[in-house]
């Protein structure tokens, strides 16, 4: 059997495979396209297509697909075979440069938020040579962007790539001011993916899980996560088998799955790959999610990627570790020399300003119906965006702002001029798990994204907001050199830090005091996704995206519409499933049980007229009152749902789902859950939380 290193990357048409299979002149031209974004020559495209096809066929591929990310955030593919009949009964396997570069899916069924209607009915997919093609189930998958014929982005990838370009341009300007050599610059991302695994048998018996990905009903299990025994605990054999197969498949696809462990909640796990450039990292994350869902079934399991499958039990997030690499240098590495330190401070200041100025957009970027259940639930950051720097860096920022000397742990007083910012953070280990945006030594960890989402929006916003900060710095310092530059840079750092200090918070982000304090500081707190979506279309946001060519106005509006619609559709589905389950699954079962109790009461009374039937009659009474309450909650939800579902305006509809329908859903759930714990287990029609979370 091949070793892991032999199998690693065999199913991906990587840098290496390209080099090996392309004539060196062609390879050089392709590299120019990849690294510098130069348009691809048709001749080169043909050569690349041929090499790719030969490689793929050699590995058993029969089809190819343009693999893209429509605005739903998930991935889409339509398979075309390489087959080309010759008309004499024979057929060749062909694949042209044109087919590689451009595809034309029937785009009419993808969400476009009205964009296609405004512009051009058709959309096309365009090869993204910066993310490697790969083979999945006999299909050569070619990562592509998806656009309208007039060039509007209809997908998640295009604006991400534009934001990476904008960031690269501004980073290069700043590095030039520092006198550094020209290097390729890229945002880097490492995503930690959390997920649940439950047994397929239990899953199939719960319509709520099957149709919405989360349990809409369910009393708390007898045991939750309070013993803290699951986190990093021994991995049970079935799950281990699943993880092994997953690692194997990911490694073959060149995805560097690195860390796997049990998470805090029972049946919850995590996988983290080694980071790479943001574009590829997001493609990899989407492939990983798909593989997880698919491979779970090989082990009789189902992988839940919803942000909050179980009430009262931790939900799943997807930490977005973000940094910027210039060549092999990580720009958030404090560095060894004073000049490196100054550069670090400039970039750090840029992030602090970016996150403060665009906190609303960041919150918006991760807003979804599912993530609303997670944020602020004492398991994930609150809906308030803030930055954690840690003691040491925090003290340095304080010192810079106040003009006092900084004393590090060794009590070495430092002059905060350009010359002496020593190597202060190398071993910085402090962690704050409650912070939404935490500096973790040489990168930032954005902890708000939910497990089910696509990280493109969040990174598009971080990159663009950062480009804006850096642009202001570069504009201000343009032309300054030597000591003058150093002085001006420090002045910029001090001024900007003091302007944006309010966003820095090192305390407990889960506490109610922080909500109070954040309000005093003027930080935003959008409790629901419905509220947060609005930030997308504010003038400030349109200006930012416009300035850097990341999204034009119609593109922003279309995305806003798609997000709202998705939110409303999901809540509509949840309401329907809830009502149907209450009516057709739970109430009949509870009534049946009540009937049995009533029959018992009668039977005993007949046999023994003076028997003490307090327990039985109290239970019967509780069941009947409970059924009445549940039915009232059901009627209330039904009326409200009908009313809200008929609202025309998507924003108003979303607001009312969030503020009125969700609480009504909660009331129905509470009524049914209350009955679950007094109903005979044998009569309960679906697997309970105990069954779902503690399987063997
Ligand atoms: P922790 O678990 O303490 O948060 P890890 O070292 O396990 O830290 O990193 C978590 C994730 O961050 C991994 O996916 C890792 O590859 C990624 N990461 C590390 N360095 C960077 C970087 N410079 N840019 C982006 N992601 C990074
Ligand atoms: Mg982490």
């Amino acid at each position: 059997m091949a070793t892991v290193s032999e199998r690693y990357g065999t199913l991906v048409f990587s840098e290496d495979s390209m080099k090996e299979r392309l004539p060196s002149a062609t390879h050089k031209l392709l590299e120019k396209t990849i690294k510098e974004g130069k348009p691809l020559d048709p001749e080169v495209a043909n050569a690349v297509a041929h090499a790719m096809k030969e490689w793929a066929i050699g590995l058993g591929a029969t089809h190819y697909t343009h693999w893209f990310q429509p605005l739903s955030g998930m991935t889409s593919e339509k398979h075309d075979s390489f087959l080309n009949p010759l008309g004499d009964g024979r057929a060749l396997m062909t694949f042209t440069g044109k087919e590689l570069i451009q595809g034309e899916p029937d785009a009419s069924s993808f969400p476009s938020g009205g964009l296609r209607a405004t512009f051009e009915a058709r959309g096309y997919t365009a090869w993204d040579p910066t993310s490697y093609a790969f083979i999945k189930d006999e299909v050569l998958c070619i990562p592509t962007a998806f656009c309208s014929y007039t060039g509007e982005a209809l997908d998640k990838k295009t604006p991400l790539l534009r934001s990476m370009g904008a960031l690269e341009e501004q980073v290069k300007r700043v590095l030039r001011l520092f006198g550094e050599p020209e290097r390729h610059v890229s945002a880097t991302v490492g995503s930690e993916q959390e997920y649940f695994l439950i047994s397929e048998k239990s899953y199939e018996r719960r319509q709520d899980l099957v149709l919405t990905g989360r349990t809409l009903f369910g009393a708390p299990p007898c045991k939750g996560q309070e013993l803290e025994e699951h986190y990093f605990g021994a991995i049970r054999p079935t799950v281990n088998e699943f993880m092994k197969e997953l690692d194997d498949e990911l490694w073959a696809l060149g995805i560097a799955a690195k860390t796997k462990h049990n998470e805090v909640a029972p049946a919850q796990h995590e996988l983290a790959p080694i980071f790479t450039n943001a574009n590829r990292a997001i493609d990899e994350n989407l492939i990983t999610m798909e593989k997880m869902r698919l491979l779970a079934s090989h082990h009789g399991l189902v992988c839940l990627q919803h942000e909050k499958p179980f009430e009262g039990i931790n939900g799943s997030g997807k930490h977005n570790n973000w940094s910027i690499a210039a060549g092999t240098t990580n720009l958030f590495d404090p560095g060894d020399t004073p000049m490196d330190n100054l550069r670090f401070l400039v970039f750090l200041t840029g992030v602090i300003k970016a996150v403060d100025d665009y906190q609303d957009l960041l919150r918006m970027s991760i807003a979804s119906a599912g993530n609303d259940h997670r944020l602020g639930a004492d398991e994930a950051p609150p809906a308030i965006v803030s930055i954690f720097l840690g003691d040491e860096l925090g003290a340095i920022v304080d010192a810079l702002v106040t003009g006092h000397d900084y004393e590090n742990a060794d009590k070495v007083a430092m002059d905060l001029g350009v010359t002496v910012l020593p190597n202060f953070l190398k071993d910085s280990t402090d962690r704050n798990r409650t912070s939404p945006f935490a500096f973790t030594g040489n990168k930032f960890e954005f902890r708000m994204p939910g497990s089910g989402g696509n990280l493109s929006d969040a990174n598009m916003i971080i990159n663009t907001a950062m480009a804006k900060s850096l642009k202001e710095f570069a504009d201000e310092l343009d032309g300054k050199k030597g000591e003058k530059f150093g002085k001006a840079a420090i002045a910029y750092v001090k001024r900007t830090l003091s302007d944006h200090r309010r966003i820095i918070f090192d305390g407990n982000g889960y506490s109610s005091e922080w909500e109070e304090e954040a309000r005093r500081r003027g930080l935003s707190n959008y409790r629901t996704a419905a509220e947060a979506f609005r930030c997308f279309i504010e003038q400030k946001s349109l200006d930012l995206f416009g300035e850097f060519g990341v999204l034009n106005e119609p593109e922003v509006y279309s995305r806003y519409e798609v997000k709202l619609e998705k939110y409303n559709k999901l809540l509509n589905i949840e309401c329907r499933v809830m009502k149907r389950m209450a009516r057709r699954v739970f109430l009949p079962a509870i009534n049946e049980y009540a009937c049995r109790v009533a029959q018992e009461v009668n039977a005993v009374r007949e046999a023994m007229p003076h028997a003490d039937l307090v327990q039985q009659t109290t239970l019967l009474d509780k069941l009947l009152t409970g059924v009445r309450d549940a039915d009232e909650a059901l009627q209330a939800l039904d009326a409200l749902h009908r009313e809200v579902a008929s609202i025309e305006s998507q924003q108003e509809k979303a607001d009312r789902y969030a503020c009125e329908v969700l609480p009504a859903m909660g009331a129905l759930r509470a009524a049914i859950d209350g009955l679950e714990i007094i109903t005979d287990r044998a009569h309960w029609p679906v697997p309970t939380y105990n069954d779902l979370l503690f399987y063997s």
Side-chain angles (χ1 to χ4, degrees):
M1 222 175 94
T3 63
V4 170
S5 17
E6 280 162 359
R7 261 180 59 76
Y8 189 82
T10 45
L11 296 179
V12 57
F13 196 64
S14 63
E15 194 77 34
D16 235 30
S17 350
M18 289 190 230
K19 224 182 193 153
E20 197 185 302
R21 291 168 173 271
L22 291 171
S24 86
T26 314
H27 182 250
K28 281 222 171 72
L29 288 170
L30 178 64
E31 233 179 359
K32 263 204 151 31
T33 299
I34 296 176
K35 298 236 160 87
E36 294 163 29
K38 295 255 165 11
L40 196 64
D41 182 277
E43 291 275 307
V44 177
N46 275 328
V48 177
H50 179 75
M52 222 185 240
K53 179 205 71 184
E54 290 296 303
W55 167 80
I57 289 178
L59 290 162
T62 52
H63 289 68
Y64 71 92
T65 182
H66 278 197
W67 184 79
F68 62 102
Q69 302 163 34
L71 295 182
S72 63
M74 292 300 99
T75 59
S76 293
E77 49 193 78
K78 176 193 79 171
H79 305 168
D80 282 305
S81 76
F82 293 120
L83 212 67
N84 191 359
L86 293 175
D88 60 359
R90 293 175 302 150
L92 284 180
M93 299 290 260
T94 61
F95 184 49
T96 63
K98 207 168 147 253
E99 288 166 318
L100 164 66
I101 292 182
Q102 194 165 312
E104 220 175 301
D106 173 13
S108 52
S109 294
F110 293 110
S112 78
L115 251 193
R116 267 192 318 272
T118 328
F119 294 93
E120 160 68 76
R122 288 173 308 162
Y124 72 92
T125 50
W127 180 34
D128 162 25
T130 59
S131 186
Y132 302 136
F134 57 93
I135 294 175
K136 188 170 61 99
D137 304 327
E138 288 91 49
V139 181
L140 167 66
C141 299
I142 301 156
T144 50
F146 180 39
C147 298
S148 76
Y149 266 92
T150 36
E152 274 73 26
L154 295 171
D155 68 347
K156 296 281 187 190
K157 187 189 268 280
T158 306
L160 173 75
L161 289 171
R162 291 175 185 160
S163 76
M164 289 172 72
L167 180 67
E168 173 165 22
E169 188 183 332
Q170 300 306 325
V171 169
K172 282 184 168 167
R173 286 183 68 202
V174 173
L175 293 182
R176 268 198 294 276
L177 288 168
F178 274 94
E180 298 200 12
E182 188 89 8
R183 281 160 296 171
H184 176 62
V185 170
S186 181
T188 54
V189 166
S191 57
E192 301 165 56
Q193 176 74 45
E194 290 179 344
Y195 60 96
F196 279 86
L197 287 175
I198 61 167
S199 111
E200 209 164 30
K201 285 204 178 74
S202 303
Y203 170 84
E204 281 163 358
R205 295 180 50 212
R206 295 215 44 145
Q207 274 175 8
D208 48 358
L209 277 175
V210 173
L211 296 173
T212 72
R214 74 178 181 109
T215 51
L216 298 170
F217 297 95
C222 302
K223 168 170 131 175
Q225 60 197 43
E226 62 272 43
L227 294 178
E228 295 174 350
E229 58 193 354
H230 196 253
Y231 191 57
F232 284 14
I235 298 171
R236 68 186 106 187
T238 352
V239 170
N240 206 32
E241 285 304 311
F242 159 82
M243 288 179 167
K244 261 203 265 185
E245 193 184 355
L246 179 63
D247 276 344
D248 260 354
E249 296 239 342
L250 295 179
W251 289 336
L253 286 163
I255 298 173
K258 169 92 174 156
T259 312
K260 52 183 180 185
H261 60 80
N262 284 351
E263 255 303 328
V264 171
Q268 192 185 29
H269 314 279
E270 178 182 304
L271 180 138
I274 294 175
F275 72 96
T276 178
N277 81 70
N279 178 37
R280 170 95 182 124
I282 291 167
D283 284 355
E284 287 185 356
N285 176 249
L286 292 167
I287 301 171
T288 303
M289 289 171 76
E290 184 182 322
K291 284 285 174 199
M292 282 176 169
R293 294 192 297 266
L294 197 85
L295 298 181
S297 68
H298 294 181
H299 305 272
L301 300 169
V302 169
C303 177
L304 303 177
Q305 292 169 349
H306 192 282
E307 285 80 6
K308 189 79 175 176
F310 305 102
E311 196 175 77
I313 300 281
N314 273 13
S316 300
K318 174 151 52 200
H319 295 172
N320 185 86
N321 294 272
W322 174 90
S323 185
I324 308 173
T328 52
T329 309
N330 176 356
L331 295 177
F332 291 108
D333 228 330
D336 298 326
T337 67
M339 213 48 187
D340 284 353
N341 286 162
L342 180 58
R343 184 190 68 201
F344 167 78
L345 280 180
V346 166
F347 279 91
L348 173 77
T349 303
V351 176
I352 291 170
K353 176 175 164 54
V355 172
D356 187 26
D357 281 343
Y358 295 101
Q359 49 180 292
D360 295 5
L361 273 181
L362 274 175
R363 163 70 180 94
M364 183 287 297
S365 74
I366 50 86
S368 71
N371 217 14
D372 273 2
H373 298 292
R374 193 181 145 255
L375 297 176
D378 280 356
E379 55 173 275
I384 309 161
V385 175
S386 66
I387 296 187
F388 167 83
L389 292 179
D391 288 348
E392 215 157 3
L393 191 51
I396 289 168
V397 166
D398 266 351
L400 282 164
V401 170
T402 56
H404 293 135
D405 279 353
Y406 164 72
E407 294 195 5
N408 75 3
D410 301 314
K411 304 269 179 249
V412 182
M414 283 175 14
D415 160 14
L416 287 166
V418 197
T419 42
V420 262
L421 275 173
N423 209 345
F424 44 74
L425 293 161
K426 278 282 151 75
D427 300 312
S428 171
T429 46
D430 50 343
R431 282 279 194 271
N432 179 333
R433 302 254 167 228
T434 68
S435 173
F437 207 99
F439 181 69
T440 49
N442 61 2
K443 63 182 179 345
F444 288 90
E445 189 171 353
F446 184 34
R447 297 210 181 92
M448 288 169 108
S451 52
N454 177 315
L455 290 174
S456 298
D457 286 357
N459 287 289
M460 164 188 81
I461 283 156
I462 301 173
N463 293 341
T464 314
M466 183 64 179
K468 168 102 178 147
S469 292
L470 295 176
K471 181 167 185 257
E472 280 179 24
F473 173 83
D475 287 350
E476 189 177 314
L477 275 82
D478 206 19
K480 293 200 166 59
K481 291 213 166 62
E483 205 176 316
K484 256 199 179 143
F485 168 76
K487 281 217 171 88
I490 279 285
Y492 165 89
V493 164
K494 286 186 175 178
R495 189 189 70 228
T496 311
L497 286 177
S498 83
D499 289 349
H500 295 282
R501 220 173 160 189
R502 63 171 186 169
I503 198 75
I504 300 169
F505 176 65
D506 283 6
N508 178 6
Y510 294 175
S511 67
S512 52
E513 291 81 36
W514 169 230
E515 265 194 62
E516 276 300 306
E517 166 69 16
R519 194 181 6 258
R520 274 196 297 277
R521 292 189 189 188
L523 300 178
S524 355
N525 184 1
Y526 299 100
R527 277 166 229 274
T528 70
E531 252 182 290
F533 291 148
R534 274 198 186 82
C535 311
F536 212 173
I537 51 167
E538 272 168 18
Q539 195 55 44
K540 185 174 166 186
S541 142
L542 297 172
D543 290 347
L544 175 74
F545 294 126
E547 182 176 352
F548 293 92
V550 170
L551 289 171
N552 62 28
E553 217 170 295
E555 285 172 334
V556 173
Y557 272 94
S558 69
R559 264 142 240 270
Y560 162 71
E561 285 292 327
V562 170
K563 279 176 192 283
L564 274 177
E565 267 181 31
K566 184 171 176 191
Y567 180 86
N568 289 333
K569 283 177 181 165
L570 280 173
L571 278 154
N572 183 37
I573 294 170
E574 287 190 354
C575 275
R576 282 198 202 138
V577 174
M578 267 201 113
K579 291 193 301 190
R580 200 164 292 184
M581 282 179 82
R583 276 193 195 117
R584 300 183 53 180
V585 180
F586 294 119
L587 288 176
I590 300 159
N591 278 323
E592 206 177 280
Y593 177 56
C595 228
R596 203 194 82 195
V597 177
Q599 280 163 1
E600 276 171 17
V601 170
N602 285 339
V604 175
R605 206 167 263 155
E606 210 174 297
M608 203 177 148
H610 300 295
D612 180 354
L613 284 163
V614 171
Q615 187 269 333
Q616 291 82 345
T617 50
T618 314
L619 173 61
L620 185 56
D621 187 49
K622 274 190 187 160
L623 287 168
L624 294 175
T625 334
V627 164
R628 187 201 59 209
D629 292 348
D631 188 55
E632 269 175 28
L634 173 60
Q635 301 311 327
L637 174 64
D638 189 36
L640 193 59
H641 176 215
R642 279 167 196 277
E643 186 190 328
V644 171
S646 68
I647 295 173
E648 280 279 317
S649 148
Q650 295 288 341
Q651 180 68 61
E652 190 193 335
K653 197 192 285 204
D655 289 334
R656 296 206 42 201
Y657 266 124
C659 299
E660 295 174 42
V661 180
L662 273 167
M665 288 164 68
L668 175 56
R669 176 184 184 137
I672 299 285
D673 292 357
L675 287 160
E676 179 188 325
I677 51 174
I678 55 167
T679 300
D680 180 358
R681 178 69 193 86
H683 270 79
W684 201 248
V686 300
T688 64
Y689 270 30
N690 280 342
D691 307 325
L692 292 167
L693 292 164
F694 300 93
Y695 61 96
S696 58

